[in-house]
Amino acid sequence: TNATVTLRDPITAAALSVGVTGTNGFSLLDGVREGYYTLEVAATNHNTFRQTIFIAAGVTNDVQAFLPRQTVQ
């Protein structure tokens, strides 16, 4: 809940689409063109998840991101 989901250009790291997860843990980013991107998921008091992904046209692309909780700072 309330994790920020950012889709970045894999070369420039520019943010192309940003969303926030809902109570179900899902975030939907519409209007994304087919191609490779860096997916970044960040939440307060958790480690950030980063992964290069391929977005395919015409399908829902499902990614499971695990963000370990930071218990010691």
Side-chain angles (χ1 to χ4, degrees):
T1 302
N2 294 327
T4 302
V5 179
T6 307
L7 205 57
R8 296 187 179 276
D9 181 286
I11 306 299
T12 67
L16 303 173
S17 186
V18 178
V20 177
T21 59
T23 56
N24 61 3
F26 288 91
S27 180
L28 182 62
L29 305 175
D30 285 328
V32 178
R33 298 177 74 150
E34 182 173 270
Y36 286 95
Y37 297 90
T38 300
L39 176 67
E40 183 177 286
V41 183
T44 305
N45 296 323
H46 290 75
N47 292 341
T48 300
F49 171 89
R50 270 185 207 87
Q51 181 176 323
T52 300
I53 61 170
F54 179 77
I55 300 293
V59 297
T60 299
N61 295 265
D62 184 28
V63 176
Q64 293 185 359
F66 178 71
L67 283 68
R69 184 165 175 79
Q70 296 174 351
T71 55
V72 178
Q73 295 182 347

